[in-house]
Amino acid sequence: MTELDKNVLKEIEDNRKVEVVVKRDAAAEGTELDLVRVFQNMGKKKRIYAWLLIFCMLIGLATPLLIAELSEKYENVSAVISFLYPRAKDGYAPDNTKLDINYITSSYILQSAMDRTHLSKDIPVSALERNISIESMLTEETRQNLEVVEKVINETSKDYGEVLNVDYQYEGKYIITLKNGFSIDPDARTKTFLDGAEMAALLNCIVDNYNLYFYDTYLSKDLPENDMDAVSNTNMDYIERLDAMVSLLSALSKYCMDESREKYIDFRSKIDGLSFKDINDCIRLVKSINVDYLYAYVFYNSISKDKKTMTTKYEYQMKNAERNLGVINGNIASISELITNFKNDSITMAGADLSEAQIGSTVTDYYNELIMTQADNYDKKEQLEETIASLKDKVNGFKSSYTSAAQREYVENELEALVNICRNLYELTEKHAEEIINSDSYKSSFMTFIEAQYFGDSFFNAATIKKAIIGMVIGAVLAVAVWGMDALAAEFRRGSEQKTETKEKEAEA
């Protein structure tokens, strides 16, 4: 039997397992890799890759800084405007017309704001107008309702209208936002950018200009009515001048204590330290002590310059008053008849068991209007009757009067003194009103605003520094990776060379 026959099985039983083991010499085909030599290779080129490491770290550090410098800056600034008068929440102006908040973007206000700001770059008015947005602030209750709606929609996937019908209520506050990046063409690639401080200053000037416009347009700047010409007119008779004084002092007193100026009644002047309440006390004192006394003296003594002219004038006024009284009496009689014959609308009211019905009536608006008109007519009648009685007393008194020279001299001297007092009181009231009108508190009584502020981050802010550090780390990792790959490649080359030499030696043997 040959050697080959010995290695061949004569018979193979069924289900016998045959194992074949193939032994492969790894050293014959593989390459040996020595990590120690890899690190040795890295150490041989440490000077070169140290510079590469520094270079990559600098590149990683500089790249985020360069991107931050070249990136477009979108610093948006915002200011909040608050309207304080009663119907501001409903979108009405102080004169009960619709409030046009969009007037803040008018060319007049924007151009004036840019002139005041002295911008470092020229910005077209149309581009500035395009970058202003206005948002009305909802009330806290409305915002809470919207949050509930959003939560229910997200959790149940229901339609908005099926979940809650939100009643939008506003606070009378508006957020004015100015966006950076200005261009005539909204799709232009090149835009003009302002720094944050200029943006804030520009928006504050815009809001301030709108505040001035609002002040000039809506705020009441009326001064007390000046009737000093009639008071100081020496061509008028004594009693007429005294009537003018009473009218002037009554108007000044009403002006000082006007309920629409309630919060300014106690406002004290920086010039004289007086308030409207103090001035009103002075007016009442002068009227009750000086004017009323002189009026009574002239009236009951029938002192006049020209009694014939006086009586003729008062008789004419009395006839007009009597004619007006006749018209009022006719109106009262007509409306009384309408009220007597008027029938209110009847209504039928059934009980809970629907077994019994009761007849009732409801008052209509027309009936209420008749009652109010009749009450107004009675007020006018009372005033006219009082005027007619006063005119009759004057006519009867001045017809039979005699005025002495001493009486005339006394009245003229007192009138002259009272004219000066009335003039001083009027000027005091007028100056006090002007001081209030020109004060900042009065200008902001209908509208206030929170100025825009820009606390601009420096170039080396936290976000930029973080990105720079990350970039530096990435650069270092890349440099080390290249360094290691170069050392690894050198080890592979050494292994390949060693393998080649082994093969050559085996071939020679």
Side-chain angles (χ1 to χ4, degrees), residues 387-408:
T387 301
I388 292 172
S390 175
L391 290 172
K392 283 182 178 180
D393 290 340
K394 290 178 180 178
V395 169
N396 294 332
F398 284 106
K399 275 185 177 180
S400 59
S401 67
Y402 171 78
T403 304
S404 64
Q407 289 177 323
R408 186 177 291 113

mmCIF file with all atom_site columns, all heavy atoms in Angstrom, residues 387-408:
data_model
loop_
_atom_site.group_PDB
_atom_site.id
_atom_site.type_symbol
_atom_site.label_atom_id
_atom_site.label_alt_id
_atom_site.label_comp_id
_atom_site.label_asym_id
_atom_site.label_entity_id
_atom_site.label_seq_id
_atom_site.pdbx_PDB_ins_code
_atom_site.Cartn_x
_atom_site.Cartn_y
_atom_site.Cartn_z
_atom_site.occupancy
_atom_site.B_iso_or_equiv
_atom_site.pdbx_formal_charge
_atom_site.auth_seq_id
_atom_site.auth_comp_id
_atom_site.auth_asym_id
_atom_site.auth_atom_id
_atom_site.pdbx_PDB_model_num
ATOM 1   N N   . THR A 1 387 ? -85.220 134.558 35.015 1.00 0.00 ? 387 THR A N   1
ATOM 2   C CA  . THR A 1 387 ? -84.636 135.663 34.245 1.00 0.00 ? 387 THR A CA  1
ATOM 3   C C   . THR A 1 387 ? -85.642 136.797 34.070 1.00 0.00 ? 387 THR A C   1
ATOM 4   O O   . THR A 1 387 ? -85.297 137.987 34.217 1.00 0.00 ? 387 THR A O   1
ATOM 5   C CB  . THR A 1 387 ? -84.172 135.155 32.866 1.00 0.00 ? 387 THR A CB  1
ATOM 6   O OG1 . THR A 1 387 ? -83.203 134.129 33.048 1.00 0.00 ? 387 THR A OG1 1
ATOM 7   C CG2 . THR A 1 387 ? -83.580 136.280 32.046 1.00 0.00 ? 387 THR A CG2 1
ATOM 8   N N   . ILE A 1 388 ? -86.880 136.433 33.747 1.00 0.00 ? 388 ILE A N   1
ATOM 9   C CA  . ILE A 1 388 ? -87.907 137.462 33.550 1.00 0.00 ? 388 ILE A CA  1
ATOM 10  C C   . ILE A 1 388 ? -88.160 138.230 34.847 1.00 0.00 ? 388 ILE A C   1
ATOM 11  O O   . ILE A 1 388 ? -88.306 139.470 34.844 1.00 0.00 ? 388 ILE A O   1
ATOM 12  C CB  . ILE A 1 388 ? -89.204 136.805 33.036 1.00 0.00 ? 388 ILE A CB  1
ATOM 13  C CG1 . ILE A 1 388 ? -88.991 136.284 31.615 1.00 0.00 ? 388 ILE A CG1 1
ATOM 14  C CG2 . ILE A 1 388 ? -90.371 137.794 33.075 1.00 0.00 ? 388 ILE A CG2 1
ATOM 15  C CD1 . ILE A 1 388 ? -90.150 135.444 31.106 1.00 0.00 ? 388 ILE A CD1 1
ATOM 16  N N   . ALA A 1 389 ? -88.210 137.527 35.971 1.00 0.00 ? 389 ALA A N   1
ATOM 17  C CA  . ALA A 1 389 ? -88.428 138.206 37.256 1.00 0.00 ? 389 ALA A CA  1
ATOM 18  C C   . ALA A 1 389 ? -87.285 139.169 37.559 1.00 0.00 ? 389 ALA A C   1
ATOM 19  O O   . ALA A 1 389 ? -87.525 140.296 38.040 1.00 0.00 ? 389 ALA A O   1
ATOM 20  C CB  . ALA A 1 389 ? -88.554 137.165 38.368 1.00 0.00 ? 389 ALA A CB  1
ATOM 21  N N   . SER A 1 390 ? -86.053 138.739 37.267 1.00 0.00 ? 390 SER A N   1
ATOM 22  C CA  . SER A 1 390 ? -84.898 139.608 37.516 1.00 0.00 ? 390 SER A CA  1
ATOM 23  C C   . SER A 1 390 ? -84.935 140.825 36.608 1.00 0.00 ? 390 SER A C   1
ATOM 24  O O   . SER A 1 390 ? -84.658 141.953 37.050 1.00 0.00 ? 390 SER A O   1
ATOM 25  C CB  . SER A 1 390 ? -83.596 138.821 37.306 1.00 0.00 ? 390 SER A CB  1
ATOM 26  O OG  . SER A 1 390 ? -82.472 139.664 37.441 1.00 0.00 ? 390 SER A OG  1
ATOM 27  N N   . LEU A 1 391 ? -85.304 140.624 35.343 1.00 0.00 ? 391 LEU A N   1
ATOM 28  C CA  . LEU A 1 391 ? -85.373 141.755 34.409 1.00 0.00 ? 391 LEU A CA  1
ATOM 29  C C   . LEU A 1 391 ? -86.491 142.731 34.816 1.00 0.00 ? 391 LEU A C   1
ATOM 30  O O   . LEU A 1 391 ? -86.321 143.969 34.701 1.00 0.00 ? 391 LEU A O   1
ATOM 31  C CB  . LEU A 1 391 ? -85.611 141.242 32.988 1.00 0.00 ? 391 LEU A CB  1
ATOM 32  C CG  . LEU A 1 391 ? -84.425 140.505 32.338 1.00 0.00 ? 391 LEU A CG  1
ATOM 33  C CD1 . LEU A 1 391 ? -84.819 139.878 31.010 1.00 0.00 ? 391 LEU A CD1 1
ATOM 34  C CD2 . LEU A 1 391 ? -83.246 141.456 32.138 1.00 0.00 ? 391 LEU A CD2 1
ATOM 35  N N   . LYS A 1 392 ? -87.588 142.208 35.277 1.00 0.00 ? 392 LYS A N   1
ATOM 36  C CA  . LYS A 1 392 ? -88.674 143.090 35.727 1.00 0.00 ? 392 LYS A CA  1
ATOM 37  C C   . LYS A 1 392 ? -88.218 143.944 36.908 1.00 0.00 ? 392 LYS A C   1
ATOM 38  O O   . LYS A 1 392 ? -88.522 145.147 36.970 1.00 0.00 ? 392 LYS A O   1
ATOM 39  C CB  . LYS A 1 392 ? -89.898 142.265 36.129 1.00 0.00 ? 392 LYS A CB  1
ATOM 40  C CG  . LYS A 1 392 ? -90.691 141.747 34.943 1.00 0.00 ? 392 LYS A CG  1
ATOM 41  C CD  . LYS A 1 392 ? -91.927 140.979 35.412 1.00 0.00 ? 392 LYS A CD  1
ATOM 42  C CE  . LYS A 1 392 ? -92.761 140.491 34.227 1.00 0.00 ? 392 LYS A CE  1
ATOM 43  N NZ  . LYS A 1 392 ? -93.963 139.744 34.676 1.00 0.00 ? 392 LYS A NZ  1
ATOM 44  N N   . ASP A 1 393 ? -87.526 143.325 37.851 1.00 0.00 ? 393 ASP A N   1
ATOM 45  C CA  . ASP A 1 393 ? -87.024 144.088 38.994 1.00 0.00 ? 393 ASP A CA  1
ATOM 46  C C   . ASP A 1 393 ? -86.067 145.178 38.540 1.00 0.00 ? 393 ASP A C   1
ATOM 47  O O   . ASP A 1 393 ? -86.096 146.308 39.065 1.00 0.00 ? 393 ASP A O   1
ATOM 48  C CB  . ASP A 1 393 ? -86.326 143.159 39.974 1.00 0.00 ? 393 ASP A CB  1
ATOM 49  C CG  . ASP A 1 393 ? -87.303 142.225 40.689 1.00 0.00 ? 393 ASP A CG  1
ATOM 50  O OD1 . ASP A 1 393 ? -88.499 142.551 40.720 1.00 0.00 ? 393 ASP A OD1 1
ATOM 51  O OD2 . ASP A 1 393 ? -86.839 141.172 41.203 1.00 0.00 ? 393 ASP A OD2 1
ATOM 52  N N   . LYS A 1 394 ? -85.219 144.881 37.576 1.00 0.00 ? 394 LYS A N   1
ATOM 53  C CA  . LYS A 1 394 ? -84.261 145.876 37.090 1.00 0.00 ? 394 LYS A CA  1
ATOM 54  C C   . LYS A 1 394 ? -84.967 147.017 36.366 1.00 0.00 ? 394 LYS A C   1
ATOM 55  O O   . LYS A 1 394 ? -84.648 148.207 36.572 1.00 0.00 ? 394 LYS A O   1
ATOM 56  C CB  . LYS A 1 394 ? -83.242 145.214 36.153 1.00 0.00 ? 394 LYS A CB  1
ATOM 57  C CG  . LYS A 1 394 ? -82.273 144.291 36.862 1.00 0.00 ? 394 LYS A CG  1
ATOM 58  C CD  . LYS A 1 394 ? -81.320 143.625 35.869 1.00 0.00 ? 394 LYS A CD  1
ATOM 59  C CE  . LYS A 1 394 ? -80.345 142.696 36.601 1.00 0.00 ? 394 LYS A CE  1
ATOM 60  N NZ  . LYS A 1 394 ? -79.426 142.001 35.681 1.00 0.00 ? 394 LYS A NZ  1
ATOM 61  N N   . VAL A 1 395 ? -85.927 146.664 35.529 1.00 0.00 ? 395 VAL A N   1
ATOM 62  C CA  . VAL A 1 395 ? -86.647 147.700 34.778 1.00 0.00 ? 395 VAL A CA  1
ATOM 63  C C   . VAL A 1 395 ? -87.417 148.610 35.743 1.00 0.00 ? 395 VAL A C   1
ATOM 64  O O   . VAL A 1 395 ? -87.359 149.850 35.640 1.00 0.00 ? 395 VAL A O   1
ATOM 65  C CB  . VAL A 1 395 ? -87.606 147.054 33.756 1.00 0.00 ? 395 VAL A CB  1
ATOM 66  C CG1 . VAL A 1 395 ? -88.556 148.120 33.163 1.00 0.00 ? 395 VAL A CG1 1
ATOM 67  C CG2 . VAL A 1 395 ? -86.817 146.374 32.657 1.00 0.00 ? 395 VAL A CG2 1
ATOM 68  N N   . ASN A 1 396 ? -88.144 148.006 36.663 1.00 0.00 ? 396 ASN A N   1
ATOM 69  C CA  . ASN A 1 396 ? -88.917 148.814 37.603 1.00 0.00 ? 396 ASN A CA  1
ATOM 70  C C   . ASN A 1 396 ? -88.011 149.653 38.493 1.00 0.00 ? 396 ASN A C   1
ATOM 71  O O   . ASN A 1 396 ? -88.320 150.805 38.822 1.00 0.00 ? 396 ASN A O   1
ATOM 72  C CB  . ASN A 1 396 ? -89.799 147.918 38.472 1.00 0.00 ? 396 ASN A CB  1
ATOM 73  C CG  . ASN A 1 396 ? -90.869 147.216 37.655 1.00 0.00 ? 396 ASN A CG  1
ATOM 74  O OD1 . ASN A 1 396 ? -91.305 147.731 36.626 1.00 0.00 ? 396 ASN A OD1 1
ATOM 75  N ND2 . ASN A 1 396 ? -91.297 146.042 38.116 1.00 0.00 ? 396 ASN A ND2 1
ATOM 76  N N   . GLY A 1 397 ? -86.886 149.094 38.905 1.00 0.00 ? 397 GLY A N   1
ATOM 77  C CA  . GLY A 1 397 ? -85.983 149.818 39.786 1.00 0.00 ? 397 GLY A CA  1
ATOM 78  C C   . GLY A 1 397 ? -85.271 150.948 39.096 1.00 0.00 ? 397 GLY A C   1
ATOM 79  O O   . GLY A 1 397 ? -85.176 152.055 39.643 1.00 0.00 ? 397 GLY A O   1
ATOM 80  N N   . PHE A 1 398 ? -84.744 150.690 37.883 1.00 0.00 ? 398 PHE A N   1
ATOM 81  C CA  . PHE A 1 398 ? -83.972 151.733 37.203 1.00 0.00 ? 398 PHE A CA  1
ATOM 82  C C   . PHE A 1 398 ? -84.843 152.828 36.622 1.00 0.00 ? 398 PHE A C   1
ATOM 83  O O   . PHE A 1 398 ? -84.371 153.938 36.391 1.00 0.00 ? 398 PHE A O   1
ATOM 84  C CB  . PHE A 1 398 ? -83.117 151.119 36.097 1.00 0.00 ? 398 PHE A CB  1
ATOM 85  C CG  . PHE A 1 398 ? -81.895 150.391 36.620 1.00 0.00 ? 398 PHE A CG  1
ATOM 86  C CD1 . PHE A 1 398 ? -81.849 149.012 36.622 1.00 0.00 ? 398 PHE A CD1 1
ATOM 87  C CD2 . PHE A 1 398 ? -80.823 151.098 37.132 1.00 0.00 ? 398 PHE A CD2 1
ATOM 88  C CE1 . PHE A 1 398 ? -80.747 148.351 37.117 1.00 0.00 ? 398 PHE A CE1 1
ATOM 89  C CE2 . PHE A 1 398 ? -79.724 150.432 37.619 1.00 0.00 ? 398 PHE A CE2 1
ATOM 90  C CZ  . PHE A 1 398 ? -79.678 149.046 37.627 1.00 0.00 ? 398 PHE A CZ  1
ATOM 91  N N   . LYS A 1 399 ? -86.131 152.579 36.378 1.00 0.00 ? 399 LYS A N   1
ATOM 92  C CA  . LYS A 1 399 ? -87.018 153.622 35.860 1.00 0.00 ? 399 LYS A CA  1
ATOM 93  C C   . LYS A 1 399 ? -87.239 154.730 36.883 1.00 0.00 ? 399 LYS A C   1
ATOM 94  O O   . LYS A 1 399 ? -87.350 155.909 36.540 1.00 0.00 ? 399 LYS A O   1
ATOM 95  C CB  . LYS A 1 399 ? -88.369 153.005 35.466 1.00 0.00 ? 399 LYS A CB  1
ATOM 96  C CG  . LYS A 1 399 ? -88.387 152.426 34.059 1.00 0.00 ? 399 LYS A CG  1
ATOM 97  C CD  . LYS A 1 399 ? -89.789 151.944 33.706 1.00 0.00 ? 399 LYS A CD  1
ATOM 98  C CE  . LYS A 1 399 ? -89.819 151.437 32.264 1.00 0.00 ? 399 LYS A CE  1
ATOM 99  N NZ  . LYS A 1 399 ? -91.183 150.959 31.880 1.00 0.00 ? 399 LYS A NZ  1
ATOM 100 N N   . SER A 1 400 ? -87.313 154.327 38.152 1.00 0.00 ? 400 SER A N   1
ATOM 101 C CA  . SER A 1 400 ? -87.626 155.299 39.206 1.00 0.00 ? 400 SER A CA  1
ATOM 102 C C   . SER A 1 400 ? -86.409 155.656 40.059 1.00 0.00 ? 400 SER A C   1
ATOM 103 O O   . SER A 1 400 ? -86.559 156.144 41.168 1.00 0.00 ? 400 SER A O   1
ATOM 104 C CB  . SER A 1 400 ? -88.730 154.740 40.111 1.00 0.00 ? 400 SER A CB  1
ATOM 105 O OG  . SER A 1 400 ? -88.311 153.513 40.687 1.00 0.00 ? 400 SER A OG  1
ATOM 106 N N   . SER A 1 401 ? -85.211 155.383 39.549 1.00 0.00 ? 401 SER A N   1
ATOM 107 C CA  . SER A 1 401 ? -84.019 155.577 40.360 1.00 0.00 ? 401 SER A CA  1
ATOM 108 C C   . SER A 1 401 ? -83.393 156.939 40.109 1.00 0.00 ? 401 SER A C   1
ATOM 109 O O   . SER A 1 401 ? -83.649 157.603 39.101 1.00 0.00 ? 401 SER A O   1
ATOM 110 C CB  . SER A 1 401 ? -82.997 154.484 40.054 1.00 0.00 ? 401 SER A CB  1
ATOM 111 O OG  . SER A 1 401 ? -82.526 154.640 38.720 1.00 0.00 ? 401 SER A OG  1
ATOM 112 N N   . TYR A 1 402 ? -82.550 157.299 41.074 1.00 0.00 ? 402 TYR A N   1
ATOM 113 C CA  . TYR A 1 402 ? -81.741 158.507 40.931 1.00 0.00 ? 402 TYR A CA  1
ATOM 114 C C   . TYR A 1 402 ? -80.347 158.174 41.470 1.00 0.00 ? 402 TYR A C   1
ATOM 115 O O   . TYR A 1 402 ? -80.208 157.661 42.581 1.00 0.00 ? 402 TYR A O   1
ATOM 116 C CB  . TYR A 1 402 ? -82.344 159.684 41.704 1.00 0.00 ? 402 TYR A CB  1
ATOM 117 C CG  . TYR A 1 402 ? -81.418 160.880 41.753 1.00 0.00 ? 402 TYR A CG  1
ATOM 118 C CD1 . TYR A 1 402 ? -81.273 161.729 40.655 1.00 0.00 ? 402 TYR A CD1 1
ATOM 119 C CD2 . TYR A 1 402 ? -80.679 161.146 42.917 1.00 0.00 ? 402 TYR A CD2 1
ATOM 120 C CE1 . TYR A 1 402 ? -80.421 162.816 40.717 1.00 0.00 ? 402 TYR A CE1 1
ATOM 121 C CE2 . TYR A 1 402 ? -79.829 162.232 42.977 1.00 0.00 ? 402 TYR A CE2 1
ATOM 122 C CZ  . TYR A 1 402 ? -79.685 163.061 41.872 1.00 0.00 ? 402 TYR A CZ  1
ATOM 123 O OH  . TYR A 1 402 ? -78.833 164.134 41.926 1.00 0.00 ? 402 TYR A OH  1
ATOM 124 N N   . THR A 1 403 ? -79.323 158.431 40.645 1.00 0.00 ? 403 THR A N   1
ATOM 125 C CA  . THR A 1 403 ? -77.960 158.102 41.013 1.00 0.00 ? 403 THR A CA  1
ATOM 126 C C   . THR A 1 403 ? -77.199 159.386 41.294 1.00 0.00 ? 403 THR A C   1
ATOM 127 O O   . THR A 1 403 ? -77.118 160.288 40.438 1.00 0.00 ? 403 THR A O   1
ATOM 128 C CB  . THR A 1 403 ? -77.243 157.320 39.885 1.00 0.00 ? 403 THR A CB  1
ATOM 129 O OG1 . THR A 1 403 ? -78.005 156.157 39.573 1.00 0.00 ? 403 THR A OG1 1
ATOM 130 C CG2 . THR A 1 403 ? -75.843 156.933 40.308 1.00 0.00 ? 403 THR A CG2 1
ATOM 131 N N   . SER A 1 404 ? -76.642 159.447 42.492 1.00 0.00 ? 404 SER A N   1
ATOM 132 C CA  . SER A 1 404 ? -75.866 160.633 42.856 1.00 0.00 ? 404 SER A CA  1
ATOM 133 C C   . SER A 1 404 ? -74.438 160.500 42.345 1.00 0.00 ? 404 SER A C   1
ATOM 134 O O   . SER A 1 404 ? -73.976 159.405 41.978 1.00 0.00 ? 404 SER A O   1
ATOM 135 C CB  . SER A 1 404 ? -75.866 160.801 44.381 1.00 0.00 ? 404 SER A CB  1
ATOM 136 O OG  . SER A 1 404 ? -75.193 159.705 44.984 1.00 0.00 ? 404 SER A OG  1
ATOM 137 N N   . ALA A 1 405 ? -73.743 161.631 42.356 1.00 0.00 ? 405 ALA A N   1
ATOM 138 C CA  . ALA A 1 405 ? -72.350 161.629 41.887 1.00 0.00 ? 405 ALA A CA  1
ATOM 139 C C   . ALA A 1 405 ? -71.470 160.817 42.827 1.00 0.00 ? 405 ALA A C   1
ATOM 140 O O   . ALA A 1 405 ? -70.527 160.133 42.384 1.00 0.00 ? 405 ALA A O   1
ATOM 141 C CB  . ALA A 1 405 ? -71.840 163.067 41.776 1.00 0.00 ? 405 ALA A CB  1
ATOM 142 N N   . ALA A 1 406 ? -71.769 160.882 44.127 1.00 0.00 ? 406 ALA A N   1
ATOM 143 C CA  . ALA A 1 406 ? -70.964 160.122 45.091 1.00 0.00 ? 406 ALA A CA  1
ATOM 144 C C   . ALA A 1 406 ? -71.149 158.627 44.877 1.00 0.00 ? 406 ALA A C   1
ATOM 145 O O   . ALA A 1 406 ? -70.171 157.853 44.935 1.00 0.00 ? 406 ALA A O   1
ATOM 146 C CB  . ALA A 1 406 ? -71.374 160.511 46.513 1.00 0.00 ? 406 ALA A CB  1
ATOM 147 N N   . GLN A 1 407 ? -72.360 158.202 44.606 1.00 0.00 ? 407 GLN A N   1
ATOM 148 C CA  . GLN A 1 407 ? -72.597 156.787 44.345 1.00 0.00 ? 407 GLN A CA  1
ATOM 149 C C   . GLN A 1 407 ? -71.877 156.324 43.077 1.00 0.00 ? 407 GLN A C   1
ATOM 150 O O   . GLN A 1 407 ? -71.274 155.250 43.035 1.00 0.00 ? 407 GLN A O   1
ATOM 151 C CB  . GLN A 1 407 ? -74.108 156.526 44.210 1.00 0.00 ? 407 GLN A CB  1
ATOM 152 C CG  . GLN A 1 407 ? -74.879 156.629 45.508 1.00 0.00 ? 407 GLN A CG  1
ATOM 153 C CD  . GLN A 1 407 ? -76.364 156.435 45.302 1.00 0.00 ? 407 GLN A CD  1
ATOM 154 O OE1 . GLN A 1 407 ? -76.929 156.879 44.279 1.00 0.00 ? 407 GLN A OE1 1
ATOM 155 N NE2 . GLN A 1 407 ? -77.032 155.804 46.277 1.00 0.00 ? 407 GLN A NE2 1
ATOM 156 N N   . ARG A 1 408 ? -71.977 157.152 42.035 1.00 0.00 ? 408 ARG A N   1
ATOM 157 C CA  . ARG A 1 408 ? -71.324 156.814 40.769 1.00 0.00 ? 408 ARG A CA  1
ATOM 158 C C   . ARG A 1 408 ? -69.814 156.719 40.956 1.00 0.00 ? 408 ARG A C   1
ATOM 159 O O   . ARG A 1 408 ? -69.166 155.805 40.443 1.00 0.00 ? 408 ARG A O   1
ATOM 160 C CB  . ARG A 1 408 ? -71.688 157.855 39.722 1.00 0.00 ? 408 ARG A CB  1
ATOM 161 C CG  . ARG A 1 408 ? -71.182 157.504 38.329 1.00 0.00 ? 408 ARG A CG  1
ATOM 162 C CD  . ARG A 1 408 ? -71.620 158.526 37.299 1.00 0.00 ? 408 ARG A CD  1
ATOM 163 N NE  . ARG A 1 408 ? -73.065 158.451 37.081 1.00 0.00 ? 408 ARG A NE  1
ATOM 164 C CZ  . ARG A 1 408 ? -73.938 159.408 37.422 1.00 0.00 ? 408 ARG A CZ  1
ATOM 165 N NH1 . ARG A 1 408 ? -73.509 160.506 38.042 1.00 0.00 ? 408 ARG A NH1 1
ATOM 166 N NH2 . ARG A 1 408 ? -75.217 159.268 37.183 1.00 0.00 ? 408 ARG A NH2 1
#
